[in-house]
């Protein structure tokens, strides 16, 4: 069959009448030399732009026919031909596919994940991985090692590696422009996924707010709510409820990391600052903060405030340290771990106590000072209090030898009183051993009266 280029006819409805017109872009019609099938499709340039010139369309058709013939005799394949495809083109297709995917619950993927995927694709281009031919294990490994040299945590490096792995899997299984996934041959970033952070002390937070200038309110929200950077970025005035007492922030499920709607109680001073900062013409959809401080901006603010970014133990400060500061200050204030976990919106208390609480700021000396005092004077006072409460004489002395009495030994005195004596003696031993011993050791009671045997056998009798 003949090979040719053409502009297809497009039927339109104009004023109730059907009208035909020529399309703007050229198509190609030819027979595939490999499969023998008739193919018709719009012609595009390597940049993705559609062809509008007839001469360019004919040249592109000749290139397609030559490539088809080369594939038929085994001189080339799709993977070789797609090696020059830009990473940006494959990344665009991959992100569009992510936007169409749904979770098991039917919800789309989180916006933060999509933003991060776009960020990683741009990062690949910045590391001179611009075409599919550059997607090799050595180049990817070198790029991930550069993240480690920049001080990124193992968790962050794993996240970058996961996005690159998903991109390559898409190129292999869906787009079919990669023959194999090179990420499997790269080195793992390690098993420790936690960045070694520290929290700000109240004094450091005070000087940071003083040096922050227009970013002061942003830092206050992060310090006194524990919101993540992405959650603050997505915050709108409609999420802030000033009508309740106290004021609250009602987070939408789509803006949180766990895709769960939560309620944050605002400190009164922070609520007043937010109320004063809201513009008069701001609608509910307007963002609370139009800009978000970058990591470099945060580091510059800390440096200007005289705060060390890294302490002597190697722990670092970043924007997420403000969330750690929120949890640490709650622990310093004596808030229970369960309440702290709830305010931090964690589902595991171990995450709250191990990774988000800075132990160096907890006052161990004050906690130890709250233990009971057991000095001699305190013990003497405690003994008097116990004596008054129980009705016993603390000056009574227990004799070294207890008088031997058949009535107290549980032995038979007479046939009639044997069972009653045993019952009374058992009750005395069970309920008031101390009173019985004191009574035996004293010939008279506190009033100077003689003690009768019947008095000794009555449990809990005050002498």
């Amino acid at each position: 069959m003949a090979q040719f280029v053409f502009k297809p006819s497009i039927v339109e409805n104009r004023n109730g009448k059907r009208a035909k017109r020529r399309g703007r872009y050229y198509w190609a019609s030819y027979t595939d030399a490999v499969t023998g099938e008739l193919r018709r499709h719009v012609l595009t340039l390597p940049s993705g732009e559609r062809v509008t010139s007839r001469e360019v369309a004919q040249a592109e058709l000749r290139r397609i026919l030559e490539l088809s013939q080369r594939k038929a005799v085994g001189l080339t394949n799709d993977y070789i031909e797609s090696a020059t495809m830009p990473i940006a083109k494959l990344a665009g297709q991959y992100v569009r596919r992510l936007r169409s995917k749904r979770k098991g619950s039917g919800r789309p993927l989180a916006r933060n994940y999509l933003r991060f995927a776009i960020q990683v694709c741009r990062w690949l281009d910045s590391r001179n991985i611009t075409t599919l031919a550059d997607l090799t294990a050595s180049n990817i490994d070198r790029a991930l090692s550069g993240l480690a040299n920049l001080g990124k945590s193992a968790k962050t490096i794993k996240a970058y590696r996961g996005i690159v792995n998903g991109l390559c899997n898409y190129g292999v299984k869906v787009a079919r422009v990669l023959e194999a996934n090179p990420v499997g041959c790269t080195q793992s970033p390690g098993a420790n996924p936690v960045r070694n952070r520290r929290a700000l002390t109240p004094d450091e937070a005070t000087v940071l707010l003083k040096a922050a200038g227009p970013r002061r309110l942003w830092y206050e929200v992060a310090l006194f709510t524990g919101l993540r950077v992405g959650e603050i970025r997505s915050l709108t005035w409609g999420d802030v409820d000033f009508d309740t007492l106290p004021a609250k922030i009602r987070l939408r499920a789509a803006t949180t990391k766990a895709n769960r709607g939560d309620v944050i109680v605002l400190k009164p001073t922070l609520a007043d600052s937010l109320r004063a900062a809201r513009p008069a013409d701001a609608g509910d959809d307007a963002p609370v903060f139009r800009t978000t401080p970058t990591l470099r901006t945060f580091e510059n603010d800390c440096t200007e405030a005289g705060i060390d970014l890294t302490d002597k133990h190697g722990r670092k400060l970043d924007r997420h340290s403000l969330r750690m500061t929120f949890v640490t200050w709650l622990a310093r204030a004596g808030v229970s771990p369960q309440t702290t976990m709830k305010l931090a919106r964690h589902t595991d208390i171990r995450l709250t106590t191990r990774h988000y609480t800075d132990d160096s700021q907890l006052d161990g000396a004050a906690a130890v000072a709250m233990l009971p005092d057991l000095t001699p004077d305190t013990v003497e006072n405690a003994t008097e209090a116990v004596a008054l409460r129980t009705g016993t004489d603390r000056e009574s002395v227990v004799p070294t030898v207890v008088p031997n009495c058949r009535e107290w030994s549980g032995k038979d005195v007479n046939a009639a009183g044997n069972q009653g004596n045993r019952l009374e003696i058992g009750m005395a031993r069970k309920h008031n051993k101390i009173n019985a011993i004191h009574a035996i050791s004293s010939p008279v009671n506190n009033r100077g009266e003689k003690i009768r045997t019947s008095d000794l056998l009555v449990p809990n009798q005050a002498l």
Side-chain angles (χ1 to χ4, degrees):
M1 185 176 180
Q3 295 85 20
F4 58 93
V5 297
F6 65 96
K7 288 183 177 181
S9 299
I10 300 176
V11 179
E12 295 180 340
N13 189 356
R14 298 178 181 177
N15 299 326
K17 296 182 179 181
R18 299 181 65 183
K20 291 185 178 181
R21 67 175 181 86
R22 288 291 179 182
R24 181 181 178 185
Y25 305 110
Y26 276 94
W27 286 54
S29 177
Y30 61 94
T31 302
D32 193 339
V34 178
T35 62
E37 298 177 354
L38 177 63
R39 301 193 62 183
R40 287 187 177 184
H41 60 84
V42 65
L43 293 173
T44 57
L45 298 176
S47 61
E49 183 181 358
R50 295 185 178 184
V51 179
T52 57
S53 172
R54 184 176 183 83
E55 294 181 0
V56 175
Q58 291 176 345
E60 181 65 16
L61 177 60
R62 287 194 296 269
R63 188 190 69 81
I64 292 174
L65 294 175
E66 181 182 357
L67 176 61
S68 177
Q69 294 173 1
R70 289 173 63 86
K71 290 180 180 179
V73 297
L75 294 179
T76 186
N77 55 42
D78 292 335
Y79 305 123
I80 296 176
E81 293 300 321
S82 60
T84 58
M85 178 189 292
I87 288 289
K89 182 177 180 179
L90 181 64
Q93 299 174 1
Y94 177 59
V95 173
R96 283 193 293 271
R97 180 177 176 82
L98 290 179
R99 287 174 177 168
S100 63
K101 290 186 67 175
R102 293 293 185 270
K103 297 181 180 180
S105 59
R107 294 182 178 179
L109 297 179
R111 294 181 180 179
N112 292 340
Y113 183 80
L114 296 177
R115 292 193 190 102
F116 182 66
I118 297 173
Q119 175 185 338
V120 173
C121 294
R122 292 176 178 174
W123 166 77
L124 285 175
D125 189 74
S126 67
R127 303 302 298 176
N128 296 326
I129 304 178
T130 56
T131 63
L132 298 187
D134 299 329
L135 274 176
T136 61
S138 59
N139 289 342
I140 296 174
D141 200 7
R142 182 171 58 253
L144 294 176
S145 300
L147 292 176
N149 296 334
L150 292 175
K152 300 293 184 181
S153 66
K155 181 179 180 180
T156 301
I157 298 175
K158 281 185 177 181
Y160 273 75
R161 189 173 183 265
I163 294 295
V164 177
N165 181 64
L167 176 66
C168 294
N169 277 336
Y170 173 81
V172 172
K173 299 179 180 180
V174 181
R176 299 185 182 278
V177 293
L178 291 176
E179 191 170 5
N181 188 344
V183 178
C185 301
T186 59
Q187 296 181 358
S188 176
N192 182 19
V194 181
R195 177 187 292 272
N196 194 12
R197 293 186 178 94
R198 75 175 182 90
L200 289 170
T201 63
D203 294 338
E204 290 175 336
T206 301
V207 295
L208 174 62
L209 295 179
K210 184 177 180 180
R215 295 172 295 277
R216 176 189 177 94
L217 184 59
W218 194 97
Y219 291 146
E220 284 189 22
V221 171
L223 285 170
F224 294 118
T225 63
L227 292 177
R228 301 175 180 89
V229 175
E231 294 169 345
I232 300 178
R233 184 188 294 115
S234 304
L235 202 62
T236 62
W237 287 113
D239 299 331
V240 186
D241 189 358
F242 294 112
D243 297 333
T244 61
L245 189 66
K248 298 179 179 64
I249 292 179
R250 303 185 185 277
L251 296 175
R252 290 163 285 142
T255 63
T256 61
K257 180 180 179 180
N259 289 325
R260 182 183 65 246
D262 293 305
V263 177
I264 306 297
V265 179
L266 293 178
K267 189 178 179 181
T269 55
L270 178 59
D272 294 340
S273 300
L274 286 172
R275 188 180 291 105
R278 178 173 184 172
D281 57 345
D284 290 342
D285 295 336
V288 177
F289 300 100
R290 298 186 178 275
T291 59
T292 300
T294 62
L295 176 60
R296 181 172 298 180
T297 302
F298 174 77
E299 292 176 348
N300 292 339
D301 290 339
C302 291
T303 303
E304 184 178 353
I307 303 173
D308 295 332
L309 296 175
T310 305
D311 64 0
K312 60 182 179 181
H313 301 292
R315 301 181 304 168
K316 298 182 179 180
L317 280 177
D318 58 10
R319 293 176 298 177
H320 202 65
S321 297
L322 303 179
R323 176 171 169 81
M324 183 180 183
T325 303
F326 170 73
V327 177
T328 302
W329 286 359
L330 290 175
R332 286 187 54 174
V335 180
S336 66
Q338 291 80 4
T339 305
T340 303
M341 181 186 70
K342 180 180 179 181
L343 293 175
R345 294 172 291 123
H346 290 154
T347 56
D348 191 347
I349 196 170
R350 292 175 295 181
L351 180 63
T352 306
T353 56
R354 292 183 183 179
H355 304 306
Y356 280 86
T357 303
D358 192 346
D359 296 339
S360 63
Q361 294 196 29
L362 301 181
D363 194 351
V368 172
M370 296 174 64
L371 295 175
D373 190 6
L374 301 180
T375 57
D377 294 339
T378 307
V379 173
E380 184 72 15
N381 296 333
T383 305
E384 294 178 356
V386 171
L388 292 175
R389 185 171 64 252
T390 59
T392 58
D393 186 2
R394 66 182 183 87
E395 296 182 355
S396 301
V397 180
V398 179
T400 57
V401 179
V402 179
N404 187 8
C405 179
R406 290 179 57 86
E407 295 181 358
W408 285 98
S409 63
K411 300 278 177 108
D412 183 23
V413 178
N414 53 59
N418 182 32
Q419 185 175 358
N421 288 340
R422 286 187 177 181
L423 178 60
E424 292 176 347
I425 293 171
M427 293 177 61
R429 287 178 176 176
K430 180 177 180 180
H431 297 288
N432 204 354
K433 293 182 180 180
I434 297 177
N435 288 347
I437 294 174
H438 279 274
I440 294 171
S441 61
S442 302
V444 295
N445 57 19
N446 294 337
R447 296 186 296 273
E449 300 173 351
K450 291 184 178 182
I451 301 176
R452 295 175 297 178
T453 304
S454 59
D455 294 335
L456 297 176
L457 299 180
V458 179
N460 297 329
Q461 180 176 351
L463 301 179

